[in-house]
Amino acid sequence: MTGRDEQPGEAGAVGGAPDAGGPKPPEVSGVDLARVALRAAKEQARARGAAAQQKKQARRGGGLRSGARSDGRDPQMLGSAISRLITERGWETPAAVGGVMGRWPQIVGDDLAKHCVPLRYDDDPAARVLTVSCDSTAWATQLRLLAPQLVARLNADLGQGTVRMIKVVGPGGPERRYGPLRAPGSKGPGDTYG
């Protein structure tokens, strides 16, 4: 024995604790310990593999796979891709006005287009002003008289309320010169001797 005298009440005790009178729990042997450790290791590996797989799918786009039906990743025609981009970004009005600037001769006529050129469009909702430059004061006056009809034509083409006003800019005067005497090729008073 262990050098200790056993007493009748301690016969079924483990580690000196008194037995409650129930059956003795089975002791885990070396083989059973190995099985428990192996099962725990497999569960941990499975959990790590699932986490790695989720991370990999997230990098690829959430695990989406190509199938028989079309989705956003399929090849598209250039025109439809650009239309979708313009719609997603909210560029419909600036793109339409840019198209007007390209089709200016068809909208206003060849005679007016030869002498008047659209410069810019202010798409601020409060303003919505199309600025047009003319090469003479006579054509600027003519365009000012035609402005209400031109605004109506542009709004019919672009959508109601796209252009509220046309600002007409006449020809600019000659470049301003500083001082009565001027050396040829100089830049004025800011010119240096070097």
Side-chain angles (χ1 to χ4, degrees), residues 4 7-23 25:
R4 210 176 97 188
Q7 307 225 348
E10 295 179 356
V14 177
D19 190 11

Side-chain angles (χ1 to χ4, degrees), residues 123-179:
D123 63 347
D124 181 30
R128 294 190 179 172
V129 176
L130 179 66
T131 304
V132 180
S133 172
C134 297
D135 60 359
S136 71
T137 55
W139 281 105
T141 304
Q142 181 68 24
L143 188 64
R144 282 187 191 102
L145 293 173
L146 292 174
Q149 292 140 0
L150 191 56
V151 167
R153 188 180 305 168
L154 288 170
N155 284 332
D157 191 28
L158 299 174
Q160 196 59 31
T162 305
V163 177
R164 291 186 181 169
M165 188 174 85
I166 294 180
K167 180 180 176 183
V168 180
V169 179
E175 185 179 328
R176 187 167 198 186
R177 299 184 176 249
Y178 299 98

Side-chain angles (χ1 to χ4, degrees), residues 17-32:
D19 190 11
K24 181 173 145 181
E27 289 189 29
V28 182
S29 65
V31 175
D32 292 331

Side-chain angles (χ1 to χ4, degrees), residues 13-128:
V14 177
D19 190 11
K24 181 173 145 181
E27 289 189 29
V28 182
S29 65
V31 175
D32 292 331
L33 281 174
R35 283 185 187 140
V36 170
L38 179 62
R39 190 178 309 126
K42 282 182 179 180
E43 288 175 10
Q44 289 175 352
R46 219 177 277 124
R48 281 193 310 264
Q53 185 68 20
Q54 286 175 350
K55 188 185 282 186
K56 191 176 186 181
Q57 285 180 350
R59 274 185 291 185
R60 283 194 208 155
L64 293 175
R65 300 284 183 248
S66 182
R69 293 179 184 87
S70 64
D71 60 7
R73 300 174 297 145
D74 289 340
Q76 298 177 0
M77 300 296 286
L78 182 62
S80 64
I82 289 175
S83 298
R84 191 175 87 192
L85 177 70
I86 287 172
T87 304
E88 287 174 357
R89 303 289 174 135
W91 297 338
E92 291 94 358
T93 302
V97 172
V100 163
M101 291 188 183
R103 296 180 292 123
W104 185 250
Q106 289 102 12
I107 293 173
V108 298
D110 290 331
D111 290 339
L112 196 59
K114 288 178 186 175
H115 301 283
C116 302
V117 179
L119 293 179
R120 65 185 163 273
Y121 173 72
D122 183 16
D123 63 347
D124 181 30
R128 294 190 179 172

